[in-house]
Amino acid sequence: MKLFGTPGSPYVRKVRLVLEEKRIAYEYVLTSAATREAMVVPLNPLGKIPVLLADDGRAVYDSPVIVEYLDGLVAEPRLIPHAFDARIEVRRWEALGDGIADATVLISHDYRKPEAKRESAEWYEKQRQKIRRGLAVMSKDLGGREFCFGASFTLADIAAGYALGYLDQALPELDWRKPYPTLNQLATRLAARDSFRKTLPAPAA
Ligand SMILES: N[C@@H](CCC(=O)N[C@@H](CS)C(=O)NCC(=O)O)C(=O)O
């Protein structure tokens, strides 16, 4: 199986975390803006990464669908519970992580534009509010527990961990750790796992 992506994409890291946790062998195919048209578009008409090319030849996207595919493909360790309520809770955590990552991607991409072409201060504040509100709910729902959902590691922890890691990398000035000490502890615990260490992107040069 092949995963198409770039180390800078938080969604690609999320999928790599799942592959590592489930110990699924894969070939990581690096894409770039220059190769995207030729490599990604034939697999995903939306032209977005990550895309997974499964061994049976099917292309799977986007990251929530890839994660579901991988969790169904290899039974253990199960990252998305079967039970309905538990499943919805874990997927809600995933949506929170993805939403925080979405707002962070928007801000960090806009930062790279020349100043005159950047979005307004109100737009930036709106994105930051989504991040802050998402963090507040993550913190409240985590409470004093070790795992984001239930008594073991699930996709909920991957979702929180990849989003918090991406915040550190893309928006270090947001300094979320002080206001959310239990999320800070969670992020520190997760960062020590092999899967997180192995997929940590190199700092920007
Ligand atoms: N919801 C998608 C988001 C994927 C996404 O936006 N990927 C970005 C890279 S971080 C991308 O490929 N952007 C190129 C584009 O939008 O054309 C997922 O979870 O996979």
Side-chain angles (χ1 to χ4, degrees):
M1 114 174 26
K2 292 183 181 177
L3 176 69
F4 292 78
T6 60
S9 164
Y11 316 105
V12 170
R13 186 178 189 212
K14 172 186 161 196
V15 169
R16 292 185 68 213
L17 285 164
V18 170
L19 286 159
E20 293 296 334
E21 290 286 342
K22 294 186 79 79
R23 300 188 193 289
I24 299 173
Y26 67 103
E27 184 187 339
Y28 186 21
V29 183
L30 291 177
T31 60
S32 66
T35 61
R36 196 163 287 204
E37 196 69 27
M39 283 167 100
V40 178
V41 171
L43 299 173
N44 177 357
L46 307 172
K48 293 188 179 198
I49 50 158
V51 185
L52 187 87
L53 182 59
D55 288 341
D56 64 6
R58 88 177 100 172
V60 186
Y61 51 86
D62 56 357
S63 70
V65 182
I66 299 175
V67 164
E68 172 113 30
Y69 174 79
L70 295 173
D71 206 41
L73 191 70
V74 171
E76 295 296 332
R78 183 144 294 280
L79 297 175
I80 307 172
H82 281 304
F84 181 69
D85 283 341
R87 185 180 191 84
I88 296 299
E89 255 320 277
V90 165
R91 298 236 81 150
R92 184 183 64 84
W93 270 95
E94 183 186 21
L96 266 179
D98 289 355
I100 289 173
D102 290 345
T104 310
V105 164
L106 284 176
I107 292 178
S108 79
H109 283 194
D110 202 72
Y111 267 161
R112 292 183 211 151
K113 293 183 189 160
E115 212 167 329
K117 296 203 167 155
R118 283 192 204 146
E119 297 285 350
S120 65
E122 292 75 37
W123 181 91
Y124 271 83
E125 188 46 29
K126 207 169 142 194
Q127 303 307 328
R128 286 197 198 96
Q129 274 173 10
K130 289 182 195 186
I131 297 170
R132 286 195 210 102
R133 290 195 304 254
L135 291 172
V137 169
M138 275 188 174
S139 172
K140 178 173 129 319
D141 292 353
L142 176 65
R145 289 179 299 115
E146 181 179 353
F147 298 105
C148 295
F149 177 80
S152 60
F153 183 88
T154 65
L155 177 63
D157 300 286
I158 290 181
Y162 100 86
L164 295 172
Y166 185 59
L167 260 184
D168 280 341
Q169 180 200 327
L171 290 184
E173 69 279 13
L174 202 93
D175 197 15
W176 57 271
R177 289 177 183 265
K178 268 191 219 112
Y180 301 111
T182 53
L183 288 184
N184 178 20
Q185 286 159 13
L186 173 76
T188 304
R189 276 197 304 278
L190 292 172
R193 288 178 80 90
D194 281 351
S195 60
F196 277 81
R197 284 198 279 138
K198 214 166 159 182
T199 59
L200 187 67

